[in-house]
Amino acid sequence: MGQLEGGFDIANPIIQIRGLRKLYGPHVALDGVDLDIGTGGVGILGPNGSGKSTLFKCILGLIRITEGGGEVLGKDIVTMGPDIRSKIGYMAEYDSLDPGLTAVDQVRYAGELLGMRPDQATQRAHEVLQYVGLQDQRYRKIETFSTGMRQATKLACAIVHDPQILFCDEPTNGLDASARQFMLDTLRRTISDGGGTVIMTSHVMEDIQGVCDRVVMLSGGKVVVEGRIDELARQITREIEISVWGGATKMEQWLLQHGHKVRRMGRIMRIEHQGDQTIRAILEGASETGAQVRVLREYEPDLEDIFLLIMRKLGKSAKSSSDLKGVPGK
Amino acid sequence: MNNIVGGDSLGEADIEAAYGSGDGDLDTSATVATAPKGQIFEQIYRPWNGSLGPRWVRNYAIYRHHVYGIISGSGHRRYHPFVRLTLLVVILGSMTPILMLLLSSMVSGDATGFLNRMWGVNRYNLWGNVLGYFPRNLCMWPLLTALVVGGLVSDDRKNGTSALYFSRPISRLDYASMKWLSAASVLATVILLTYMMYYSAAIVFKGEGWAFIADTIPIFLGGLVAGFFLVFTYTSIGIALSSISTSRFTASVSFLGLILGSKVVAWLVEIQFETTYIYLLSPYDCLAHLGQWLVGLPPNYDHPLIMSVVSLLAMNAASLSIFASRVSSLEVTRE
Amino acid sequence: MNSTPAIALDHVSKWYGQVIGVNDVSLAIDGGVTGILGMNGAGKSTLFKLLMGRLRPSNGSVKLFGTDPWETTSPYRRVGYVSESEKMYDWMTSLDFVSTLARLHGMTRYEAEKRAEQALSFVDLEGVLNKEIGKYSKGMRQRVKIAAALVHDPDLLILDEPLHGCDPLARTSIMNVIREMGSRGKTILVSSHILEEIERITEQIVILHSGKLVALGNLHAIRAMLDKHPHRILIRCADSRALASTFIDQQPVYGVRFIDNESLEIMTKDLSEAHQLLPMLILKSGIQIYSIENPDDNLESLLGYLVGDA
């Protein structure tokens, strides 16, 4: 197997991990992880149980490492945990807010816990709550907040001290379409305007793509892929995707007859892209068969495709309902 | 480099077709209605260039959050108004001896003698102010502790706010000690401060001189030390219970149950079987026994003092180790 | 549609004091996969509770397979329900939990255990079958619920955010099953906040807003009905002005907008006609095109038009 071109711009890595191993008794959570992470947006992916959470805990200096080590912002993760945690922000996946406090009190307390004076913390709390869109609700108690507002408050607590690195664990959990969009926009802006780094995990590949330009994928406690999303996407066979209305079967046959490699499912077809003539051929086929090609574009593989193909390469594919069959008596 | 799956092609990405898209048919159907809305605002990232204070600033923040919460209704940890009212009643209740002293100094005649014996400074009253049976030590102090300690650690477990603490440069030791200290401070204020006020009031209202002070100071200090042990023990047991449970109510009720229950059971055993050894299991009685010795009163208990002391140490050690282990198991991330 | 559709709501309203959860909703769903959309608070969870017999409608009638679920529990033999807010017995292992539920559906002990194992290995939990649910991560808990809903091969699946917390593998597996069951004639109702997920699963949708039914049916057909928003066809090509000149005089086209030298947008009232003519016109013009798209024929734009989010 060859090497992947590219990888990260590791001229100035802000996180460096070498040979990290973590064992919980006999269970190997992390099995020799080597990683360099630079600034910008980085997504951490992996199936459940791949070690993402453990990796975070190690980087944050929260658990004892079995072997290996690393540095975050130039500080050793084994010995300088508290220092590291003053420079980073962490947005937990689950509830981590006190429902009896108002948003501004909670964020202020979060700042004070870092060592801010009450006056500094109060001023920052207001600023940061405005940034996350809770300007009008900051005096309300958190118990009255919707999920979207709680997520925003968690984000506010995490960025109250303008950290250099922001770790987000499933930041769009439970958010509806507009709240989700807003959260992703906010995270993107934090990278572009704030100049910081966002390290994000999510099960929704779409979200990671919306914020990060690079990914690290873990499986079974090891790093299996590390690179820029656009470069990884280029490794997937180029195809033109079309959506056909009124005659997909005829269209498919026409294309096959004319020597094109076609895959089809319902009204969607993918034709292997062999240059300009492919598109021309599609249009010819459409005008000859009378079918309507309502959508035509170069299929751009997204992160989800990359993830699935990589998992397939590792021997794990998605299942279908045939895997659910065959029990006596039913 | 890392890429186990690198190099040549990754292959073809999967196609998916949505249900209802059929085979590319032209006809589809639907029905519609209508509605509108909207909003806009400017999102600007503001950097922060301040510097963060050292460890004591952070720790003090934790302490303040818990202690101020009792006094002020908002801005800090929330205590239910009923809890705060009860605390107020308890603190006022513990100041009644001072009121009685004032009264006794104002009244003259036979009554004076009586009031003096009841409320004046003597061994029994000093001991009583800290460790007296009823209604104080059996009702007020345990209730006070229960209310202060309920939810101290269990809330963090329930709300997940432990993540807020530990994702910051706050060590488990800092967290634990500040929480313990905040509970102990409240208890100390109500128990020890009122005790000191009582003693001072006795001197002031009676216009006592240096001779009196010289006589009573050792007793006073004895009581103070006993009070200190009381605060320490109740806080430790209470906070251990709070760290085990997941609700404020459970922790409070268990604490009350433990203190009162063990006392009552031991007392019943004493009545029935005429032995005081079971009192070793009751935190209150071990403290009372020690207190009696410190203040110079004859003990109510048949068993030697050293056993009560050992029991007390054991209880504290057990509570603190439970507390420590529960704090170290608080999660920051979950998978 | 037969007389006993899987789900039938007839002028159903539900209010809680002053607040209306669902407002005069009538719909029938029978067979296939239907997506249900709406913002938080639009009435989706109220609707699910009404379907599952947790709530009684203030007005109107709810029927599953022709029977009122509030009156009898018989429809539930054929229903599987997944919801994030449902609690499970944390002290049970997932195998115990799913096989117990299977037995409640009337299977024998042996059958229940076999089917439970299958369902759980389908959702990739075969390695942790004997571990207590309380120790599971969020994604794993979600998958247990899905296994529990599939174990008795139901005719109606009601799924409230089923893909929440699932990694892409699990998500694709579950989506495959949903589509396949739909094409086999089962009825599936799926709700999700992630519009792209719904788009991949189904074109049949129901949109709720503030408790009211706003749209129902095939998403493209719904789009076609929004006359106020004329259809746009976005074409990226080598020379937009030259291309435009070839369709300016065509009947279905009533407007062309130039976005830049390489993109143009055709406005039309009759999408079908326009697309019929397009391939030939493009070929005749000889201009190289790179893509053709309907920029607002997707759920996100649709919701925007119907419900007006910013």
Side-chain angles (χ1 to χ4, degrees), chain A residues 46-48 93-94 146-148 170 173-178 180-181 203-207 240 245 265 267 276-277 279-280 283-284 286-287 290-298 304 307-308 311 316-330, chain C residues 39-40 107 110-111 114-115 118-119 121-122 124 126 137-140 143 150 152-153 164-169 171-173 175-177 180 184 193-197 200 203 218 220 271-273 275-276 279-280 282-283 288-294 300 309:
Chain A
N48 280 333
E93 176 188 346
Y94 54 89
S146 66
T147 320
E170 307 272 355
N173 230 359
L175 298 183
D176 62 29
S178 55
R180 194 175 139 233
Q181 204 45 56
H203 284 304
V204 183
M205 300 293 110
E206 196 88 31
D207 289 351
I240 301 274
W245 288 61
M265 206 186 274
R267 68 160 72 98
D276 292 342
Q277 72 268 41
I279 297 182
R280 189 166 306 128
L283 294 171
E284 274 169 16
S287 63
Q292 295 174 19
V293 174
R294 293 212 182 167
V295 179
L296 183 156
R297 58 171 174 227
E298 165 130 15
E304 181 139 0
F307 185 104
L308 289 170
M311 291 311 293
K316 296 173 198 167
S317 325
K319 307 205 172 118
S320 66
S321 59
S322 52
D323 292 294
L324 201 52
K325 292 262 183 326
V327 166
K330 197 56 167 138
Chain C
M39 293 173 15
N40 279 341
M107 294 187 212
Y110 171 73
E111 204 182 334
K114 271 263 143 313
R115 295 227 69 187
Q118 264 213 333
S121 70
F122 177 79
D124 270 327
E126 70 262 18
S137 70
K138 205 159 173 187
M140 290 159 88
R143 287 184 275 158
L150 292 173
H152 56 297
D153 197 22
H164 185 94
C166 294
D167 64 38
L169 263 181
R171 193 175 306 130
T172 309
S173 306
M175 283 203 236
N176 285 345
V177 160
E180 287 163 28
R184 275 195 286 137
H193 281 312
I194 301 180
L195 302 177
E196 295 84 2
E197 278 177 4
R200 284 161 64 181
E203 288 190 351
N218 182 295
H220 300 291
L271 196 61
S272 211
E273 267 302 301
H275 273 295
Q276 204 69 44
M280 201 142 35
I282 296 174
L283 286 169
Q288 179 66 33
I289 62 158
Y290 309 126
S291 70
I292 301 174
E293 302 192 57
N294 288 144
E300 195 179 332
D309 314 19

Side-chain angles (χ1 to χ4, degrees), chain A residues 17-298:
Chain A
I17 307 284
R18 294 285 174 265
L20 195 62
R21 276 170 69 80
K22 172 67 188 171
L23 278 79
Y24 285 106
H27 171 63
V28 184
L30 290 176
D31 192 7
V33 170
D34 282 315
L35 206 48
D36 277 323
I37 298 183
T39 53
V42 180
I44 310 271
L45 319 173
N48 280 333
S50 52
K52 297 191 301 258
S53 191
T54 313
L55 183 62
F56 267 27
K57 285 189 205 169
C58 290
I59 295 179
L60 295 178
L62 291 171
I63 54 178
R64 200 169 302 143
I65 297 171
T66 314
E67 236 182 78
E71 283 189 354
V72 174
L73 296 167
K75 300 182 208 284
D76 186 83
I77 58 180
V78 175
T79 57
M80 295 176 81
D83 273 347
I84 294 175
R85 294 197 293 278
S86 343
K87 292 271 185 312
I88 63 105
Y90 178 69
M91 189 180 155
E93 176 188 346
Y94 54 89
D95 262 343
S96 57
L97 302 169
D98 185 339
L101 294 175
T102 61
V104 69
D105 285 329
Q106 173 73 96
V107 179
R108 180 183 48 86
Y109 186 44
E112 287 176 355
L113 287 175
L114 284 157
M116 285 185 176
R117 291 190 319 267
D119 53 308
Q120 289 176 316
T122 312
Q123 184 234 350
R124 260 314 269 184
H126 285 284
E127 250 174 37
V128 140
L129 282 167
Q130 191 203 21
Y131 177 69
V132 301
L134 291 174
Q135 169 83 331
D136 301 326
Q137 291 94 339
R138 62 207 146 118
Y139 295 112
R140 280 172 46 187
K141 288 212 177 123
I142 292 174
E143 59 200 353
T144 65
F145 278 12
S146 66
T147 320
M149 291 153 90
R150 280 175 207 237
Q151 293 287 92
T153 311
K154 273 196 263 176
L155 179 61
C157 289
I159 58 175
V160 68
H161 56 307
D162 190 15
Q164 283 176 265
I165 310 179
L166 175 63
F167 286 87
C168 299
D169 223 333
E170 307 272 355
T172 55
N173 230 359
L175 298 183
D176 62 29
S178 55
R180 194 175 139 233
Q181 204 45 56
F182 182 73
M183 173 63 71
L184 295 173
D185 287 340
T186 307
L187 289 172
R188 255 198 304 271
R189 188 182 295 271
T190 310
I191 300 175
S192 60
D193 295 359
T197 302
V198 170
I199 299 184
M200 187 175 140
T201 67
S202 179
H203 284 304
V204 183
M205 300 293 110
E206 196 88 31
D207 289 351
I208 298 206
Q209 245 177 317
V211 175
C212 312
D213 49 359
R214 284 165 276 148
V215 288
V216 172
M217 189 162 146
L218 294 171
S219 178
K222 288 194 177 39
V223 174
V224 294
V225 175
E226 176 186 352
R228 294 187 60 89
I229 297 178
D230 47 19
E231 283 167 7
L232 285 167
R234 262 177 251 149
Q235 303 224 310
I236 297 182
T237 314
R238 290 181 68 202
E239 288 176 310
I240 301 274
E241 179 177 83
I242 59 175
S243 176
V244 180
W245 288 61
T249 321
K250 283 187 285 173
M251 183 74 180
E252 185 186 12
Q253 281 172 348
W254 190 99
L255 285 165
L256 284 168
Q257 274 165 9
H258 284 74
H260 293 276
K261 210 167 151 218
V262 181
R263 302 190 292 146
R264 176 177 162 226
M265 206 186 274
R267 68 160 72 98
I268 312 239
M269 274 184 247
R270 300 253 185 96
I271 302 116
E272 189 162 334
H273 194 20
Q274 284 156 343
D276 292 342
Q277 72 268 41
T278 314
I279 297 182
R280 189 166 306 128
I282 293 171
L283 294 171
E284 274 169 16
S287 63
E288 274 183 45
T289 61
Q292 295 174 19
V293 174
R294 293 212 182 167
V295 179
L296 183 156
R297 58 171 174 227
E298 165 130 15

